[in-house]
Amino acid sequence: MRELVEEFLIYYMTERNIEKAAALLTEDVISLGTGEQEIGIGKDAAAALYLKEVKQSPNPIFFHFLEYKEQILSIDARMCYAKVGINTRTTEGEKLAFEGRLTSSSCRQDGIWKLSSFHMSMAAASQEEEEFLPLQSLYGKAEPATTKNAIELMKDMLPGGIIGGYMEPGFPLYTINDEMLALMGFDSYEEMIYFSDGFVNNLIYPEDRERVDQYVGEVLKNSDEYDITYRQLKKDGSFFWVHDKGRRIVLEDGREAIISVLVDVSDIEQAASAAEEHLDAIMRMNPTAMSTFRINLTQDSLSHAVSKYGNLQALEAKGTVSGYVEDALKFIPYEEEREKFARTFAVENLLKAYQDGHMQVAMNHHYIPDENQQFILQTIVSMIRNAATKEIEGVVYTLDITQKIYNEKINDLLINDSDLGIIVVNIKKGTFFSPSFTASSEFKPTLKEQDYAEGVGQIVDHFIVQEEKEHCREGMKLDYIVTQLKKEGKYSINSIWENDGKRRDMRFTCYYFDELQEQFVGIYEDVTDAVQKDHEYGQKLREALEEAKRANRAKTDFLSRMSHDIRTPLNGVIGMTEIALKENQDPRLKFDLETIKSSGKFLLSLINDILDVSRIESGKMELHPEPYAVAQFEQMIEAIICPMMEEKNITFRTDD
């Protein structure tokens, strides 16, 4: 609405273009001047009133807002009040500067906003008859005779209920219009007087009377005007919400009174109340939150900080969501998280998220307020649209999820059937805490940080057997573990523990827990049973291997003996064949003897090969390079194979 009022004032006061100014008015607009004839009801009458003024004083009038307040009456109606600084010159060139007060209402017709009333007055005790600027305040300190007439006119013309009371105890009723009677459900003026005993205070909801009296009394000490919202009684005992715009006036008999315009804002107040209850419920649902803030994203404002941590509560200092985000980044140690936080909670991105249907935006991040504290927080922004103001409001709150994250990560590493001790090590600080430790009765779970080197020393001194102490001290040094984690992502070392006379096999395994925060988790696991099973399995494996070796030796011995036993008669066969070849010259018989000789030698070579296998298995095989006659080998193969091929009518041929 502010833009609409400014545009009207530019056309009307500065450019003095009444045609353009009138185009921004509704057909039934109400505009009043100071003089008796300066009443403009309807666009044409108002335009004529303005035109008359321009003819009398054509010089441009320059303005700027000193104060501006706006009230949403409904989806299609609004009202505003403003203090306006005004500068102009008279026709003689004299420079004038003064302050004006403006009230106006607007409504939307066919999707277009226009002014439905416009009233402006000067901040002066009185005005001359022909001073224009429409509607010197109807509540202004005008002459007593005109005040009464103005009030009667206002009662009939202005929208909303009109009620007036004398500035005396209980505010005795001075005047009321029919619309106000109708709003309260009274059928007549007399019925209302009977109900209220003639006092305005008796028409205010009992629980609001003291608040209204105190507020109005305080404001009127320094001003003649006030505005306040409260509950007004109805005839049936129920109530409705009203916005009261009131002003102190002097009546014709010299008595002071207050005259008020009351607008029914029940729908707006109920919507605002519903929004307030919703946001309060969000805050109540998170009693363990490290901090909570109320925010208005439309106005980029942040307030009502609640936190037991001073550095979190101090984030309210700038009073804006943007300022909160800017200051919060100082406590987030990692660049990647800072960039994401700034992007996620930027006002424009939160508004876009709401428009996209996301009523809640959340992010997990690290938070390090000082060197001695570190947290993992979840920052959550929960948003709603306030049906009364149409603005996006919400709550931003932070939850400490450090232990939750630790527990989740630890649970991922736990082995249900193992005896485990868990420590979380802070590399940078050289400390650890133990959320779980069951490997020894002397080490109990504790979230209190302890010195890592000292804790390792206690474990080595108290539990690890003498022959492994030095090895474990070196293997569990913090620098060494970090080096191994950077190389492999995992590190483990085995050791033997002795406690109460019993020895146990233990394994200490490390994984990165939070690389950004330079932490790793170390798990002490009792692997005695696993080591025992490995030992038993190894023993069985060694026994099986020895058995296999014995069997292999028996096989080798058998082959060796068998080969020697076969070679003796086979050498006899080969020798006798050679004798027969020397004594017999029959070609046919000679060929057969040659075949027997070749086959015998081939069989002998096979036996020798078997013996070579035995030598290989025993590691006694020796290789000797010798000339080899390929032609003789081919003849031997032919002599063996050809007879078998002929039996099956298969041709066998060897080529040189």
Side-chain angles (χ1 to χ4, degrees), residues 7 75 88 110 128 143 147 150 195 221 230 255 277 319 459 465 483 486 489 494 502 538 540:
E7 185 179 7
I75 231 173
T88 187
D110 299 325
E128 297 300 325
E143 293 297 324
T147 301
F195 179 87
K221 289 178 181 178
Y230 55 86
R255 296 169 70 184
E277 289 178 4
I459 291 174
V465 297
T483 300
K486 289 181 177 179
N494 288 2
K502 297 179 181 179
K540 290 179 181 179

Side-chain angles (χ1 to χ4, degrees), residues 637-654:
I637 295 297
E638 187 176 359
I640 295 172
I641 299 299
C642 278
M644 293 186 290
M645 298 295 104
E646 289 175 357
E647 288 179 3
K648 298 181 179 181
N649 296 319
I650 298 174
T651 302
F652 179 79
R653 185 182 66 199
T654 60

Side-chain angles (χ1 to χ4, degrees), residues 578-591:
E578 289 179 346
I579 294 172
L581 282 170
K582 292 178 181 179
E583 296 177 353
N584 198 324
Q585 300 300 319
D586 184 353
R588 176 64 183 170
L589 182 60
K590 193 172 183 178
F591 176 79

Side-chain angles (χ1 to χ4, degrees), residues 371-374 406 424-426 429-434 446-452 517 519:
E371 294 182 356
N372 299 317
Q373 296 184 91
Q374 54 185 356
Y406 284 179
V424 178
V425 181
N426 186 307
K429 296 171 64 177
T431 59
F432 77 96
F433 66 89
S434 53
T446 174
L447 296 180
K448 182 180 179 181
E449 290 191 351
Q450 304 173 56
D451 183 78
Y452 174 80
Q517 206 170 4
Q519 291 182 326

Side-chain angles (χ1 to χ4, degrees), residues 90-315:
T90 66
T91 53
E92 290 78 21
E94 182 183 357
K95 186 176 180 180
L96 299 177
F98 46 90
E99 181 182 307
R101 297 190 181 105
L102 176 154
T103 58
S104 182
S105 60
S106 64
C107 62
R108 181 162 49 188
Q109 297 177 347
D110 299 325
I112 300 174
W113 286 92
K114 293 189 176 183
L115 299 180
S116 55
S117 69
F118 183 76
H119 320 297
M120 195 168 184
S121 64
M122 295 303 97
S126 63
Q127 288 181 286
E128 297 300 325
E129 176 64 19
E130 293 302 325
E131 283 185 19
F132 281 85
L133 292 175
L135 190 57
Q136 172 202 333
S137 172
L138 290 178
Y139 313 137
K141 293 181 179 179
E143 293 297 324
T146 61
T147 301
K148 181 176 181 180
N149 294 333
I151 291 172
E152 293 303 316
L153 181 64
M154 178 183 65
K155 285 166 55 179
D156 295 332
M157 292 194 307
L158 288 183
I162 307 295
I163 193 168
Y166 294 104
M167 290 189 64
E168 299 168 6
F171 286 97
L173 184 66
Y174 161 60
T175 186
I176 191 168
N177 69 348
D178 291 340
E179 185 166 347
M180 192 68 224
L181 290 172
L183 284 172
M184 293 186 291
F186 294 112
D187 297 324
S188 66
Y189 176 82
E190 289 73 22
E191 188 177 40
M192 183 275 298
I193 291 295
Y194 178 79
F195 179 87
S196 66
D197 291 329
F199 289 98
V200 174
N201 265 12
N202 290 343
L203 297 172
I204 298 174
Y205 193 70
E207 294 180 7
D208 292 348
R209 289 172 189 169
E210 183 177 354
R211 174 174 65 89
V212 173
D213 280 348
Q214 289 180 352
Y215 175 79
V216 172
E218 285 297 318
V219 171
L220 293 183
K221 289 178 181 178
N222 302 304
S223 173
D224 288 338
E225 298 178 352
Y226 70 87
D227 60 272
I228 185 173
T229 301
Y230 55 86
R231 288 170 288 185
Q232 189 81 9
L233 275 174
K234 299 180 73 172
K235 174 184 173 180
D236 60 7
S238 62
F239 65 85
F240 62 103
W241 286 92
V242 295
H243 181 74
D244 179 347
K245 179 73 173 179
R247 183 179 178 89
R248 175 165 46 197
I249 61 173
V250 179
L251 300 173
E252 55 269 28
D253 58 3
R255 296 169 70 184
E256 287 190 335
I258 290 178
I259 188 78
S260 300
V261 177
L262 278 67
V263 178
D264 185 350
V265 293
S266 296
D267 291 343
I268 297 172
E269 286 298 320
Q270 288 170 5
S273 178
E276 190 73 18
E277 289 178 4
H278 176 81
L279 296 176
D280 285 345
I282 293 174
M283 298 180 77
R284 289 195 301 271
M285 287 167 59
N286 297 281
T288 61
M290 290 183 69
S291 67
T292 58
F293 303 85
R294 288 289 296 274
I295 61 173
N296 185 312
L297 291 172
T298 305
Q299 297 181 11
D300 188 15
S301 64
L302 177 140
S303 60
H304 296 88
V306 178
S307 177
K308 59 183 178 181
Y309 295 95
N311 42 35
L312 278 173
Q313 191 159 359
L315 297 180

Side-chain angles (χ1 to χ4, degrees), residues 268-545:
I268 297 172
E269 286 298 320
Q270 288 170 5
S273 178
E276 190 73 18
E277 289 178 4
H278 176 81
L279 296 176
D280 285 345
I282 293 174
M283 298 180 77
R284 289 195 301 271
M285 287 167 59
N286 297 281
T288 61
M290 290 183 69
S291 67
T292 58
F293 303 85
R294 288 289 296 274
I295 61 173
N296 185 312
L297 291 172
T298 305
Q299 297 181 11
D300 188 15
S301 64
L302 177 140
S303 60
H304 296 88
V306 178
S307 177
K308 59 183 178 181
Y309 295 95
N311 42 35
L312 278 173
Q313 191 159 359
L315 297 180
E316 183 190 8
K318 293 184 179 177
T320 64
V321 179
S322 302
Y324 161 82
V325 173
E326 180 182 349
D327 288 346
L329 295 178
K330 300 173 185 176
F331 301 102
I332 300 176
Y334 310 115
E335 182 64 29
E336 182 179 346
E337 286 188 356
R338 283 197 296 270
E339 292 177 357
K340 183 179 179 182
F341 190 93
R343 185 172 59 253
T344 300
F345 298 113
V347 172
E348 59 273 17
N349 289 339
L350 289 173
L351 288 170
K352 184 179 184 303
Y354 184 85
Q355 291 167 1
D356 292 341
H358 304 290
M359 298 182 68
Q360 191 174 87
V361 175
M363 175 187 166
N364 295 353
H365 59 90
H366 293 85
Y367 171 73
I368 302 181
D370 54 55
E371 294 182 356
N372 299 317
Q373 296 184 91
Q374 54 185 356
F375 303 96
I376 300 176
L377 301 184
Q378 183 176 54
T379 295
I380 303 167
V381 175
S382 186
M383 302 170 285
I384 65 166
R385 182 184 295 277
N386 189 320
T389 64
K390 312 304 179 187
E391 296 174 340
I392 308 303
E393 300 180 25
V395 174
V396 54
Y397 56 98
T398 54
L399 302 177
D400 181 0
I401 58 171
T402 307
Q403 194 59 48
K404 177 176 178 289
I405 294 296
Y406 284 179
N407 289 342
E408 288 176 355
K409 290 186 177 182
I410 288 168
N411 288 337
D412 289 341
L413 299 171
L414 289 176
I415 303 171
N416 293 330
D417 59 353
S418 298
D419 189 19
L420 299 175
I422 297 176
I423 64 173
V424 178
V425 181
N426 186 307
I427 300 169
K428 185 176 180 180
K429 296 171 64 177
T431 59
F432 77 96
F433 66 89
S434 53
S436 172
F437 209 113
T438 57
S440 166
S441 60
E442 292 191 23
F443 289 87
K444 302 296 183 182
T446 174
L447 296 180
K448 182 180 179 181
E449 290 191 351
Q450 304 173 56
D451 183 78
Y452 174 80
E454 183 181 339
V456 169
Q458 290 178 11
I459 291 174
V460 172
D461 292 342
H462 286 79
F463 298 104
I464 296 179
V465 297
Q466 185 63 40
E467 59 268 27
E468 293 193 0
K469 287 184 184 294
E470 190 60 32
H471 166 69
C472 287
R473 283 195 182 95
E474 294 298 319
M476 293 176 66
K477 283 184 176 179
L478 192 57
D479 292 344
Y480 181 75
I481 293 176
V482 172
T483 300
Q484 298 305 311
L485 286 175
K486 289 181 177 179
K487 288 181 181 179
E488 307 293 338
K490 177 183 177 182
Y491 170 73
S492 63
I493 180 173
N494 288 2
S495 59
I496 299 175
W497 289 33
E498 187 171 30
N499 189 25
D500 295 333
K502 297 179 181 179
R503 286 197 169 196
R504 308 293 293 176
D505 291 285
M506 301 293 292
R507 179 179 296 138
F508 181 57
T509 305
C510 302
Y511 306 86
Y512 264 125
F513 183 62
D514 189 338
E515 284 188 79
L516 284 177
Q517 206 170 4
E518 298 185 73
Q519 291 182 326
F520 69 83
V521 63
I523 300 176
Y524 282 98
E525 183 178 3
D526 187 339
V527 293
T528 304
D529 293 341
V531 170
Q532 181 63 31
K533 289 179 181 179
D534 287 345
H535 178 74
E536 292 174 358
Y537 178 76
Q539 182 63 30
K540 290 179 181 179
L541 189 61
R542 287 190 292 273
E543 291 174 356
L545 181 61

